[in-house]
Amino acid sequence: MSNYETPKVWEWDQEDKNQFGNQPVAGSRFEQKLPVGEHPLQVYSLGTPNGQKVAIMLEELKEAGVKSAEYDLYKIHIGEGDQFGSDFVEINPNSKIPAMVDHSQDEPVRVFESVNILLYLAEKFEQFIPTTLAERTELMNWLFWQTGAAPYLGGGFGHFYAYAPFAQEYPINRFAMETKRQLDLLDRHLADKEYINGDEYTIADMAIWPWYGRLVQGDLYGDAAAFLKADEYTNLKEWTDRIGERPAVKRALNLEYKDIK
């Protein structure tokens, strides 16, 4: 039981600090000058699941021989509040990583939200995205699914299981049930498919794998894979291992991020 009583009007307790520096207001908090490297694509990110999506895509483009997809990768340390600096907020007003600027155009193009960055790169370089309407629509089904589903895994289950200041039965049970439902969904979907979109590896795999594949591998939220009995999802596990063996994916997980300071 909790002693908490819901107030009639919520007020922000400015003394209540959290590890990610969240506040109920948007916008920049300090002046910042982000570095700009020599390559066309400037990526400001971190090795979180959302950051890994873009890193995987960029390394897959390199593996595919796309020379014009060269990039500089800078570390936005979200634990230190880099995402609230003026330059970063100018790229992504939502203050979330990853964010990217494409300097190959007449005017620089900002791109934020991880799946949108995947789509931008896929369309720009015509890689890892189907061309027929039906296949492209199926791809979009799963991209939109990931953007809607993953917050239940991360901000829901992951937060209450691994980061909350004390264990709470109700939210852990609620989000564990939803996470297992999502794992079961993916496992059923992959029963007769090599990849999310069928026979072809696409940005749908790159979007989903850093969340659900890494969870199945035991690389998210401590011992969450054991807690959720992730090994039971055999089709999902085979897909996870298949993606994890790709050279570009291995490189993406071990990239060095340049310091912005």
Side-chain angles (χ1 to χ4, degrees), residues 5 17 22 26 41 77 80 96 99 106 113 120 125 127 129 136 161 168 178 181 199 226-227 247-248 256 259-260:
E5 292 185 10
K17 306 296 184 183
N22 292 327
L41 302 174
H77 198 308
E80 296 179 2
K96 303 291 184 183
D106 292 338
E113 292 297 323
Y120 180 87
F125 297 112
Q127 297 279 340
I129 187 168
R136 191 181 178 89
Y161 185 77
Q168 301 170 70
E178 172 59 16
R181 188 193 69 80
D199 296 331
F227 179 76
E256 291 189 11
D259 200 335
I260 64 169

Side-chain angles (χ1 to χ4, degrees), residues 110-186:
R110 73 175 186 178
V111 196
F112 61 90
E113 292 297 323
S114 56
V115 167
N116 191 39
I117 297 174
L118 294 182
L119 274 170
Y120 180 87
L121 293 171
E123 292 177 339
K124 177 181 175 72
F125 297 112
E126 298 181 339
Q127 297 279 340
F128 307 112
I129 187 168
T131 56
T132 69
L133 178 61
E135 290 178 338
R136 191 181 178 89
T137 299
E138 179 66 3
L139 175 81
M140 294 297 184
N141 289 339
W142 288 102
L143 290 180
F144 278 97
W145 175 83
Q146 188 276 313
T147 60
Y152 290 97
L153 166 57
F157 172 76
H159 174 80
F160 285 103
Y161 185 77
Y163 302 129
F166 55 90
Q168 301 170 70
E169 182 179 8
Y170 176 77
I172 289 175
N173 282 347
R174 172 179 170 80
F175 291 114
M177 182 177 296
E178 172 59 16
T179 298
K180 286 185 69 67
R181 188 193 69 80
Q182 293 176 8
L183 294 172
D184 185 59
L185 169 68
L186 288 170

Side-chain angles (χ1 to χ4, degrees), residues 15 28 38 42 91 107 130 143 149 178 185 205 238 250:
E15 299 301 316
S28 65
E38 60 182 300
Q42 300 296 298
I91 301 169
E107 294 290 335
L143 290 180
E178 172 59 16
L185 169 68
D205 299 285
E238 288 178 5
K250 291 181 178 180

Side-chain angles (χ1 to χ4, degrees), residues 8 58 65 105 141 183 185 188-189 193-194 196 218 221:
K8 293 187 179 298
L58 290 164
Q105 307 300 302
N141 289 339
L183 294 172
L185 169 68
R188 291 170 184 265
H189 178 69
K193 298 175 184 65
E194 291 286 299
I196 294 296
Y221 312 127

Side-chain angles (χ1 to χ4, degrees), residues 87 151 228:
D87 266 13
L228 296 168

